[in-house]
Amino acid sequence: MELNLKPLYRAVLAIALTFLATSILFIFTGANPFLAFYYIFHGAFGNELLIIETLVRTSPILLISLGLAISFKCKVWNIGAEGQLYIGAMLGTIAALFMGEFFLTLPIAIIFSILGGAAWASIPAFMKAKLGINEVITTFLMNYVAINLVQWLLAFPFKSPETLFPESSRIPYSAIFPIIINHTRFHLGILITFIIILPLIYFLMMKTTFGFKLKVVGENPEAAKYSGISVSTTIFMALVISGALAGMAGFFEVAGIQYRMRPTISPGYGYTGIVIALLGQNHPIGITLASIFIAAIINGASTMSRILNQPQGIVDFIQGMLIIMVLASEIILRYLEKREVIKT
């Protein structure tokens, strides 16, 4: 069987070009690029605690990017994972607060977070599938609606009476993920992400009829329609599943890290997931590697910026460059193929 190496070439080329562009930026800001990348690597993998922190960071963005890969696979561009994350986290928190100390509080709260993300995504999904409205605009704009709605909920009806800050009360202990490794933040939610969710999404995308439909609808909707596939249903389901995973990621952050819902629950994980899905070529394994890679850059950049006095915004620069380079790499590979420099 002949392996298709094109996705691998694209990812490697995009990363190499991004590192090159970032090196130029470091030189302009007076930093040694080799030292900068060394400190980024050391900050992410320098010792056991740093490796664990990188995995803690990987968990939410892996969940989100797996969901985005499902919608991207059928060429439905969900830009609204950030809002779906907020709604899922808020609904899961509300469920946990209402349930109180009960042995089923955690699973029920997780279910509500999944439903919250899915319900929020179902609005642009319906508009796309039934009315043909561009999902890029609707999902993006709904981010602002979701975040402002959650901020209002946290400022008024669900404001913590203990802290008086615009944040929820602490969720009950029965809704908190147990810590797996003592004196770290490695919680059960991370294991669930890697051991249960990742294989499930892999199976869904690679081994089921639904996964095949995603691919056919994405590559040729007309052919999909003539072969009996319901294009609108596939699009709707792809967006809803995508939102469900984003909502779950939001509550995993509450139950595993924050223990209460805050208006700053996400530092932009929904947008980071877009970078990862593109870099991982919408393949679960590629996405897992890309998630660890981006999480390492986010965590390592803190160490690097502290030691070399570089702006923390370098992470945003790298993520932006990755998107550009992933798109550019397709054109470059096509040119190299035409010149018979490489064969994919």
Side-chain angles (χ1 to χ4, degrees):
M1 186 177 69
E2 201 169 313
L3 285 175
N4 180 10
L5 296 175
K6 196 168 183 179
L8 180 63
Y9 286 153
R10 282 184 64 183
V12 171
L13 184 60
I15 291 170
L17 291 174
T18 301
F19 275 7
L20 180 64
T22 310
S23 298
I24 294 170
L25 179 70
F26 282 136
I27 290 170
F28 273 114
T29 54
N32 183 327
F34 294 103
L35 267 182
F37 289 127
Y38 167 76
Y39 284 124
I40 287 176
F41 180 83
H42 185 268
F45 302 112
N47 58 44
E48 287 177 8
L49 284 177
L50 292 172
I51 293 171
I52 287 171
E53 276 304 306
T54 299
L55 290 176
V56 169
R57 179 79 71 175
T58 301
S59 176
I61 55 180
L62 175 59
L63 276 175
I64 290 169
S65 48
L66 284 171
L68 289 177
I70 291 174
S71 62
F72 290 178
K73 193 81 176 174
C74 70
K75 299 286 192 294
V76 177
W77 307 109
N78 178 14
I79 314 298
E82 186 77 358
Q84 293 146 19
L85 178 153
Y86 270 84
I87 294 296
M90 189 70 226
L91 204 59
T93 303
I94 292 171
L97 292 173
F98 271 100
M99 292 288 294
E101 294 293 354
F102 179 54
F103 75 102
L104 286 177
T105 297
L106 180 58
I108 290 173
I110 292 173
I111 291 170
F112 269 87
S113 70
I114 292 170
L115 293 176
W120 196 254
S122 70
I123 300 169
F126 176 80
M127 290 193 278
K128 169 70 178 177
K130 297 297 180 188
L131 307 175
I133 297 174
N134 190 314
E135 77 281 8
V136 174
I137 297 169
T138 52
T139 52
F140 179 70
L141 292 179
M142 285 188 71
N143 284 337
Y144 294 99
V145 179
I147 293 169
N148 282 298
L149 174 62
V150 168
Q151 285 178 347
W152 179 82
L153 289 170
L154 293 174
F156 295 104
F158 292 98
K159 185 176 182 178
S160 168
E162 304 99 35
T163 66
L164 296 179
F165 288 120
E167 59 186 18
S168 75
S169 298
R170 185 185 167 96
I171 58 174
Y173 287 104
S174 56
I176 292 174
F177 281 126
I179 296 294
I180 304 298
I181 301 176
N182 287 335
H183 310 299
T184 71
R185 300 198 299 170
F186 193 92
H187 57 81
L188 181 63
I190 299 169
L191 282 187
I192 293 174
T193 300
F194 279 94
I195 296 176
I196 298 176
I197 307 297
L198 175 59
L200 270 178
I201 298 301
Y202 180 89
F203 182 76
L204 179 72
M205 291 182 71
M206 312 304 289
K207 304 290 182 186
T208 65
T209 309
F210 179 70
F212 177 73
K213 287 178 181 176
L214 288 176
K215 190 177 176 186
V216 176
V217 170
E219 290 182 356
N220 194 330
E222 286 301 314
K225 195 190 300 178
Y226 284 114
S227 63
I229 295 173
S230 173
V231 175
S232 58
T233 303
T234 306
I235 288 173
F236 182 85
M237 288 306 299
L239 250 172
V240 167
I241 294 172
S242 184
L245 284 168
M248 184 195 291
F251 184 69
F252 274 27
E253 280 298 282
V254 175
I257 304 294
Q258 307 272 350
Y259 305 147
R260 61 177 80 223
M261 181 63 191
R262 292 192 169 100
T264 54
I265 191 76
S266 166
Y269 287 145
Y271 302 111
T272 303
I274 297 170
V275 182
I276 292 167
L278 291 175
L279 186 61
Q281 305 288 303
N282 298 329
H283 190 288
I285 304 300
I287 284 171
T288 304
L289 296 174
S291 297
I292 295 171
F293 174 72
I294 294 291
I297 287 178
I298 295 172
N299 281 9
S302 301
T303 304
M304 182 275 298
S305 74
R306 192 176 60 251
I307 295 174
L308 297 182
N309 196 28
Q310 291 293 300
Q312 183 67 27
I314 195 73
V315 174
D316 296 329
F317 178 81
I318 293 174
Q319 289 186 23
M321 287 307 298
L322 270 173
I323 291 181
I324 295 169
M325 295 309 176
V326 166
L327 299 175
S329 63
E330 179 67 34
I331 299 167
I332 296 170
L333 282 181
R334 227 179 287 151
Y335 174 79
L336 294 175
E337 276 178 327
K338 199 181 285 183
R339 294 275 174 180
E340 296 185 345
V341 178
I342 61 167
K343 193 176 178 182
T344 59

